[in-house]
Amino acid sequence: MTELLPKAHLAEPTAGTAGPHGSPDPHRSQDTPRGQGLQGPASATPTTARATRRRLGPGRSLPFGRLIGPVLVVAVWWGASAAGLLDPRILSGPDAVVSTAADLIRSGRLQDNVLISLQRAGLGLFFGVAAGVILAVSAGLSRTGEYLLDGPLQIKRAIPSLAMLPLLILWLGIGEQMKVTVIALGVAVNMYINTYSSLTGIDSRYVELAEGLDLSRLQFIRKVVVPGSLPGFFVGLRLGVTASWLGLIVVEQINATSGIGYMMFQAQQYAQSDVIIVGLVAYGIFGFASDAAVRAIERRALSWRRTLAG
């Protein structure tokens, strides 16, 4: 029964006490203070331990801290332009870009192109998210679906959506249907990969627990599948938003007659770098804002998680 006793009870006697046979223990130092034989001088109170504990996380988050990087980029750009380090024929300064943007807004040209681009990106994102989630659920919850869908979709992932442009133009022409389809394909692949990975990564013990509780298929999806797949879904959604803007930039420069990309392509013909930068800034603002919106929704939907992101 001695192996069940606490180790502290079986420790060697302290200095000045008898050993196991009644004699002083020769292996213990005679000048060891009483009460430190077990813990040693390195022992510390919990308060001291907390005070000296290393902080290994990224630290506290700052409100609007993600704006620091873009502001620094603009500041460097502005400083280089003011110092004459930039050729305005190649890269216009921020003051020229702001003036050009104001002119485009007054004429209504910027708003019209922005609305058309937002419509294309929104439709492509909607259809891509819906298709990606449906395919991921079908492949993640059914072996038959996995065998039929996962292979072709993994092959499609290796083929860039932009590489399919010639074939899509042949099938769908050069109208809006082709442009929305290209965007939707890029979004759907990102949604499928991440949602499917999150679904198949659900711990099998939760499935066994649901079977033990005799949950219906609908209850299983609502209480196990949805919470377990949400992290991967939001990762796919963020990548899908980025893919929608990437696809939009390309399709709007192919036989388009409107949109931000068309405006930039026309400006290229006349070497108007300020108009091109206005278009790039518009793409960047909408991409940054849409990603921030997805992050905000993710924080609310996954508020039960404690992560390094805070």
Side-chain angles (χ1 to χ4, degrees):
M1 295 297 292
T2 56
E3 66 275 6
L4 300 178
L5 296 176
K7 293 183 179 180
H9 293 174
L10 298 179
E12 295 179 349
T14 58
T17 60
H21 300 291
S23 59
D25 190 348
H27 299 289
R28 183 164 301 278
S29 173
Q30 296 297 324
D31 56 355
T32 303
R34 182 178 296 275
Q36 293 186 359
L38 295 177
Q39 297 179 344
S43 63
T45 62
T47 304
T48 306
R50 284 195 297 269
T52 59
R53 182 184 302 165
R54 292 183 179 178
R55 299 190 64 86
L56 302 178
R60 293 183 178 181
S61 60
L62 296 175
F64 307 104
R66 296 183 185 277
L67 294 176
I68 295 176
V71 169
L72 287 176
V73 172
V74 173
V76 172
W77 175 29
W78 205 305
S81 176
L85 301 177
L86 300 179
D87 187 350
R89 295 172 299 179
I90 299 176
L91 181 61
S92 301
D95 51 349
V97 172
V98 171
S99 177
T100 301
D103 293 338
L104 291 173
I105 292 173
R106 279 193 296 267
S107 65
R109 181 182 171 191
L110 183 61
Q111 297 94 305
D112 293 340
N113 288 313
V114 163
L115 288 176
I116 293 173
S117 293
L118 288 176
Q119 181 181 359
R120 290 169 178 159
L123 287 173
L125 183 65
F126 173 78
F127 289 119
V129 169
V133 170
I134 292 174
L135 292 171
V137 172
S138 301
L141 299 182
S142 169
R143 290 298 180 190
T144 302
E146 180 183 8
Y147 298 152
L148 293 177
L149 298 175
D150 188 59
L153 285 167
Q154 295 294 342
I155 295 173
K156 169 60 188 71
R157 183 178 64 158
I159 303 175
S161 298
L162 303 181
M164 300 181 64
L165 270 174
L167 190 59
L168 291 174
I169 291 174
L170 182 63
W171 288 349
L172 305 174
I174 58 174
E176 294 298 312
Q177 188 176 4
M178 180 273 295
K179 296 177 177 61
V180 173
T181 301
V182 171
I183 297 171
L185 282 174
V187 174
V189 171
N190 284 291
M191 289 301 306
Y192 170 81
I193 295 298
N194 289 277
T195 307
Y196 173 77
S197 176
S198 187
L199 272 173
T200 54
I202 295 177
D203 197 324
S204 60
R205 289 175 295 181
Y206 293 120
V207 181
E208 295 171 359
L209 178 61
E211 293 173 348
L213 295 175
D214 198 22
L215 296 183
S216 65
R217 190 71 171 179
L218 184 61
Q219 290 175 322
F220 171 68
I221 293 175
R222 182 168 59 89
K223 296 184 178 181
V224 178
V225 172
V226 172
S229 61
L230 274 181
F233 168 82
F234 279 109
V235 172
L237 184 58
R238 290 185 60 194
L239 294 175
V241 168
T242 303
S244 68
W245 290 108
L246 178 62
L248 180 68
I249 294 173
V250 176
V251 298
E252 286 191 334
Q253 298 186 34
I254 299 176
N255 294 318
T257 57
S258 58
I260 300 176
Y262 169 74
M263 183 182 70
M264 295 170 59
F265 181 75
Q266 291 295 108
Q268 177 192 350
Q269 306 300 318
Y270 300 99
Q272 296 173 323
S273 64
D274 50 351
V275 177
I276 296 175
I277 296 174
V278 169
L280 292 175
V281 170
Y283 279 132
I285 289 175
F286 288 122
F288 187 86
S290 56
D291 184 73
V294 174
R295 283 175 178 269
I297 298 172
E298 180 182 13
R299 282 195 297 269
R300 291 185 62 87
L302 303 179
S303 58
W304 47 270
R305 294 196 309 171
R306 294 179 60 88
T307 62
L308 288 178

